[in-house]
Amino acid sequence: MSTISHKNPKDLFDPTPFAFSHSTTAEGNGKYVFISGQSGGEDLKHTLSEDFRTQVRFSLKNLETVLTEYGLGVGDVLKVTVLIVDHNPEKLSIWTEEMHNAWKKNQFPASTLIPVPKLALEGMQIEVDAVAFMKK
């Protein structure tokens, strides 16, 4: 039996409203799945909307698509790293809202958000990579 747990020490601020946990652990039999950065590309041609929220939704949808290949869901994600081009409070708010939509149980993974000036492809505004745990 494997267990994933999320901890938010009482001596630190509550990160739940901001859609992350201070730490996440996985115990038991299983293996880690490392997921490359997922962009907001909408199709096989990697079409990118100019709208930030749309790209956020598709980056999370694309992450879920990879998780599904392993029989996993967002609840199996231990850690995400988020890269946002020209980060600002409005973009943070959008990211947080969409994380709450994707992680409905509010058991968020550990998270790091890194503001960046540019990503790999022209028009990319967000990239999300993840580490998940697949129970045996």
Side-chain angles (χ1 to χ4, degrees):
M1 185 69 170
S2 301
T3 304
I4 294 175
S5 62
H6 309 273
K7 291 207 180 218
N8 294 310
K10 299 285 185 227
D11 291 340
L12 296 175
F13 74 95
D14 178 12
T16 305
F18 304 100
F20 74 94
S21 293
H22 284 295
S23 67
T24 307
T25 59
E27 286 185 46
N29 296 326
K31 61 183 173 180
Y32 292 97
V33 178
F34 296 87
I35 301 171
S36 294
Q38 299 300 305
S39 74
E42 298 180 31
D43 51 30
L44 295 177
K45 294 180 182 179
H46 199 260
T47 304
L48 293 165
S49 171
E50 292 183 14
D51 178 62
F52 180 71
R53 184 180 297 274
T54 300
Q55 284 202 27
V56 170
R57 287 179 177 159
F58 274 95
S59 68
L60 291 170
K61 180 179 180 281
N62 295 339
L63 174 62
E64 289 185 51
T65 298
V66 176
L67 289 166
T68 299
E69 284 291 309
Y70 292 91
L72 302 174
V74 295
D76 300 302
V77 175
L78 304 177
K79 170 82 167 77
V80 294
T81 301
V82 185
L83 306 172
I84 296 178
V85 173
D86 298 327
H87 178 267
N88 61 41
E90 180 184 0
K91 288 182 176 181
L92 178 59
S93 178
I94 290 168
W95 167 252
T96 302
E97 289 170 18
E98 296 303 328
M99 278 291 289
H100 278 279
N101 289 336
W103 268 261
K104 295 184 185 350
K105 294 182 181 178
N106 285 345
Q107 292 182 320
F108 299 107
S111 177
T112 301
L113 189 153
I114 304 170
V116 295
K118 188 173 180 161
L119 289 166
L121 300 173
E122 194 64 38
M124 280 178 62
Q125 298 182 53
I126 187 166
E127 186 170 6
V128 182
D129 76 19
V131 177
F133 187 72
M134 184 167 53
K135 302 167 191 165
K136 286 189 178 180

